[in-house]
Amino acid sequence: MTHPFKDPTSSLVDVDWDDPRLQDLLQKIEGLRLDSRGTFKARSARLHLGLHVKSSTDSSGVPATVVGDSGPGRLVIKTDFALQPGEPVTLERRLATGVGRLLQCDVERCQPGSRAEDHGQGVFVSWLREHRPR
């Protein structure tokens, strides 16, 4: 049995954005924001600008926090300064065994932190793409 095609746009509704009831509702929900952190456990790391880190014991670099994993070879980090998209970086992560692991990455994007606790704190969130996924 075949079913007739139903155009999904046939049930769209025209919205009067100037309707006072809609404006009132929009004002009530304006401050709401979904928290998409999930269950990822944030971990301290060191961030080295560029790809020229001598070893996992190299003490140069700046503090960073790995705050998310957005798929194979993709990490989300938090820093106190902005990174430029396309910029090469090396991320040093400490594994549970205490051994350091160096990941060479490119910055995909960077934006100021958007959570309430980030405002005025100089927090930046960056998405990194590893050169060779784990």
Side-chain angles (χ1 to χ4, degrees):
M1 171 179 257
T2 61
H3 297 284
F5 173 74
K6 183 174 179 185
D7 180 4
T9 61
S10 67
S11 61
L12 294 179
V13 179
D14 287 329
V15 176
D16 177 8
W17 293 101
D18 295 322
D19 184 323
R21 295 174 297 168
L22 180 59
Q23 289 299 315
D24 184 47
L25 177 63
L26 292 173
Q27 286 177 356
K28 288 179 183 176
I29 64 170
E30 187 174 306
L32 297 179
R33 187 176 291 254
L34 293 178
D35 189 345
S36 60
R37 281 183 277 199
T39 58
F40 188 89
K41 183 178 178 184
R43 295 188 184 249
S44 296
R46 294 205 60 81
L47 183 70
H48 305 268
L49 301 179
L51 304 176
H52 307 290
V53 178
K54 295 178 178 115
S55 70
S56 62
T57 59
D58 185 350
S59 62
S60 66
V62 295
T65 305
V66 179
V67 294
D69 186 339
S70 58
R74 287 181 158 51
L75 294 169
V76 183
I77 65 168
K78 181 173 73 168
T79 59
D80 60 0
F81 61 96
L83 295 169
Q84 297 301 313
E87 181 176 6
V89 297
T90 302
L91 186 68
E92 179 184 352
R93 297 178 71 183
R94 290 275 170 213
L95 304 176
T97 60
V99 176
R101 179 158 183 217
L102 298 175
L103 304 174
Q104 293 181 330
C105 305
D106 287 323
V107 177
E108 287 188 324
R109 63 185 172 133
C110 179
Q111 68 185 42
S114 59
R115 296 194 180 123
E117 63 266 24
D118 297 341
H119 294 291
Q121 301 299 316
V123 172
F124 292 89
V125 179
S126 299
W127 285 257
L128 305 180
R129 182 177 29 86
E130 190 179 348
H131 288 182
R132 282 179 271 161
R134 301 165 245 166

